[in-house]
């Protein structure tokens, strides 16, 4: 099995970005911009610094975020191994969750918004119960390091992948069901189609592995990228799946008709994250420090959201906002309403948030 990435190794990759942060505080205080592909007027985001916990004295890097489907809460994990539950409207931290011993790589709410699952390098998969103020509802240990975890649309199963060819399907009560297997190592992403008839998995080979979740049979294995797939998302109630990879490409694939719709080169850098905005638009981001808004119907890049001074490693959308986080130790909130009103501007400053 390939060597799992340790916290120290992961942090080492962010060293350049952290140096930039320490020498560019003035830059972070300036208004970040959104400028569309035609250079039209821009508008700002809200910049948030997570307060450190424990013995830490500096804001943590943001390693994972997840959106509450109710649009009320945001979960954000830092490299201090803590998860903050943040009120979307007020940006106040409602709960700080501690339980992981190493880097948290993935967070996911169930469709009801009642449970949050977290996983990462420590081989733990923890389910947090919203109805009990996000106390630990269930803890599964002893698994390999996990790169991505998600709830099934019906909330009865959890799917997870890590740094080997195995796909884990875990029952809601913790009983492990038979594992699917990909002919690919270093799996980084997994997602269900809303009707639960397709489970999409991506990893090092650049192939998208499409499984039947009920039988475990491989439906198709299109080659969409020239390098590692880092994130996968389905549009709501759609057959179309979107992938991003380290080749800087956004691919849109029709899982019903088994054909590629678009392949859009967004950046010469690497792409790490996707967030679905609506039935036509997604946000993607990666190592070029920029968030790109792409129309998946036309394949056109509509906007560039600039402001981060380090790799953007994670994205999510909820409550009319897009949230981004990464190696510059900031979490940023962008108004999705403003994406459709490029001539409007809302002045939002840089504020800390309290634990």
């Amino acid at each position: 099995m390939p060597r799992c990435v340790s916290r120290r190794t992961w942090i080492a990759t962010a060293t350049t970005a952290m140096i930039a942060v320490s020498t560019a505080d003035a830059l972070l205080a300036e208004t970040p911009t959104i400028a569309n592909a035609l250079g039209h007027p821009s508008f700002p985001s809200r910049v948030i610094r997570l307060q450190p916990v424990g013995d830490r004295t500096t804001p943590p890097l943001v390693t994972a975020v997840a959106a509450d489907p109710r649009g009320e809460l945001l979960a954000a994990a830092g490299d201090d191994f803590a998860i903050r539950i943040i009120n979307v409207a007020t940006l106040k931290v409602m709960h700080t969750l501690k339980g992981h011993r190493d880097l948290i790589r993935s967070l996911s709410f169930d469709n009801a918004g009642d449970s949050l699952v977290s996983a990462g390098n420590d081989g733990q998969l923890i389910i947090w119960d919203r109805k009990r103020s996000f106390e630990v509802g269930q803890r599964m240990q002893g698994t390999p390091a996990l790169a991505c975890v998600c709830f099934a649309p019906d909330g009865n199963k959890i799917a997870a992948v890590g740094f080997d060819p195995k796909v884990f399907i875990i029952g809601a009560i913790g009983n492990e069901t038979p594992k699917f297997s990909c002919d690919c190592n270093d799996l980084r992403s997994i997602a269900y189609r809303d009707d639960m008839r397709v489970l999409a998995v991506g990893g090092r080979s650049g192939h998208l592995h499409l499984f039947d979740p009920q039988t475990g049979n491989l439906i198709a294995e299109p080659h969409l990228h020239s390098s590692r797939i880092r994130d996968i998302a389905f549009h709501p109630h759609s057959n179309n799946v979107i992938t991003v990879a380290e080749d800087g490409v956004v691919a849109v694939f029709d899982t019903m008709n088994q054909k590629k719709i678009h392949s859009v080169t967004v950046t010469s850098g690497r792409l790490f994250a996707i967030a679905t905005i609506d039935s036509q638009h997604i946000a993607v981001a990666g190592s070029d420090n920029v968030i790109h808004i792409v129309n998946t119907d036309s394949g056109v890049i509509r906007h560039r959201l600039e402001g981060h001074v380090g790799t953007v490693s994670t994205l999510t959308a909820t409550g009319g906002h897009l949230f981004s986080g990464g190696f510059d130790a900031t979490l940023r909130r962008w108004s999705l309403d403003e994406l459709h009103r490029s001539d409007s501007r809302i002045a939002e400053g840089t504020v800390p948030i309290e634990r």
Side-chain angles (χ1 to χ4, degrees), residues 65-207:
V65 291
D68 165 24
R70 303 179 195 175
E72 299 170 351
L73 300 176
L74 175 79
D79 69 334
D80 53 5
F81 318 150
I83 302 167
R84 285 83 172 171
I85 304 298
I86 301 169
N87 183 292
V88 169
T90 66
L91 298 180
K92 297 296 184 182
V93 173
M94 311 302 293
H95 307 279
T96 299
L97 314 181
K98 300 178 183 179
H100 283 280
R101 300 183 298 271
D102 206 331
L103 201 71
I104 300 166
R105 290 183 172 272
S106 185
L107 298 168
S108 175
F109 278 98
D110 69 348
N111 276 355
D114 293 331
S115 298
L116 173 72
V117 63
S118 58
N121 284 3
D122 62 2
Q124 291 193 98
L125 191 152
I126 302 177
I127 299 175
W128 309 86
D129 187 345
R130 180 177 186 166
K131 295 179 180 178
R132 296 190 296 155
S133 299
F134 288 95
E135 293 181 1
V136 174
Q138 188 176 352
R139 186 192 302 265
M140 287 160 270
Q141 303 185 69
T143 64
L146 296 173
C148 186
V149 63
C150 69
F151 276 98
D154 65 4
N156 291 327
K157 288 182 173 58
I158 294 170
V161 291
F163 302 93
D164 61 22
K166 296 179 180 178
V167 179
F168 298 93
I169 307 296
I170 302 165
I173 60 173
N175 295 323
E176 198 169 302
T177 61
K179 305 178 184 69
F180 305 163
S181 184
C182 291
D183 185 20
C184 173
N185 289 324
D186 196 8
L187 301 178
R188 296 297 182 96
S189 52
I190 190 165
Y192 280 95
R193 200 169 74 184
D194 276 354
D195 61 5
M196 290 189 59
R197 294 185 178 181
V198 175
L199 179 65
V201 179
R204 178 180 293 175
S205 70
H207 287 85

Side-chain angles (χ1 to χ4, degrees), residues 210-222:
L210 301 175
F211 291 99
D212 181 335
Q214 303 304 316
T215 66
N217 293 334
L218 184 66
I219 299 171
E221 201 172 34

Side-chain angles (χ1 to χ4, degrees), residues 6 9 24 34 64-65 71 87 130 151 161 178 188 210 215 219 235 247 262 280 282 301 305 324 326 351 353:
S6 67
T9 302
I34 298 179
V65 291
N87 183 292
R130 180 177 186 166
F151 276 98
V161 291
R188 296 297 182 96
L210 301 175
T215 66
I219 299 171
H235 273 308
D247 57 6
H262 294 296
Q280 294 182 334
I282 58 168
I301 301 170
L305 286 66
S324 58
V351 297
I353 60 176

